[in-house]
Amino acid sequence: MTFEPGTPPAAAATDDHVLAAWLATVAGERLLEVRAEGLAGRELKDAGDRAAHELLMTLLAEHRPDDAVLSEEGRDDKVRLTSSRVWIVDPLDGTREFSEVPRDDWAVHVALWQDGDLVAGAVAQPALGETFHTGAPPVVPPSTSARPRIAVSRSRPPAFVNALAEELGAELVPMGSAGVKMISVTRDLTDAYVHAGGQYEWDSAAPVAVARAAGLFPSRVDGSPLAYNQEDVYLPDVVVCRPELADRILGFIAEHGTD
């Protein structure tokens, strides 16, 4: 199928927030087209990964030709380590959920790192028709739950999170992609996402940028800042939560660890 991504908003020429949101949105639209082509299983997963990656690489080369790119689906070009601007993208976060039609807990991540920090980001949830981005950060409503809710993996919830939930009197809410779990805190579907045990920079860069812009607390599980565009892109743990829960979550981890 030939895909015509159209023209980005005029503001995208100079506004990285607008460009990030447009890129995530059009890649998500492309993924919905792939999902409608009648593929299934591994064939659908591979087609989605490939289509979204190729589209994002084409559009970034067109609209930000001087910037470096780090993509989950691409070769890690170390030129990014000497670049002042690096786009960090996950063309399809939650490949498993994408292949399980009609699940909506999968996403597209587009983030921009510049001179040492994340400066823009967007997370599209195409099956919801929503893109959350730093140009117009989500307004996090007061929690509507009487007890904290912690987003966890559907298939691989870290064992320590059960003990953390017991300590906080929290309930666990299973869902798909890492980005969806972090964005769920901005949507008052959960109050925290706590993960340890295996992720990479592209898994968290865009949702962390959006969560931080929305006023949420992001860090590694030891409380240190999340650092991006590193030589080693393995970034295995993350906490994103309402600020009022941060001390309790980090205190529990400091005392009990994540093993």
Side-chain angles (χ1 to χ4, degrees), residues 204-251:
S204 63
V208 162
V210 175
R212 187 173 65 181
L216 298 178
F217 173 87
S219 78
R220 298 197 64 173
V221 294
D222 63 0
S224 63
L226 291 146
Y228 295 90
N229 196 34
Q230 303 297 295
E231 171 76 30
D232 184 356
V233 298
Y234 186 58
L235 189 56
D237 54 79
V238 63
V239 175
V240 169
C241 67
R242 291 180 180 270
E244 61 269 24
L245 291 175
D247 287 346
R248 294 174 67 191
I249 290 172
L250 296 178

Side-chain angles (χ1 to χ4, degrees), residues 133-157:
H133 62 96
T134 51
V139 176
V140 183
S143 179
T144 55
S145 178
R147 53 194 295 224
R149 300 154 295 177
I150 302 176
V152 294
S153 170
R154 295 172 58 208
S155 56
R156 303 180 303 277

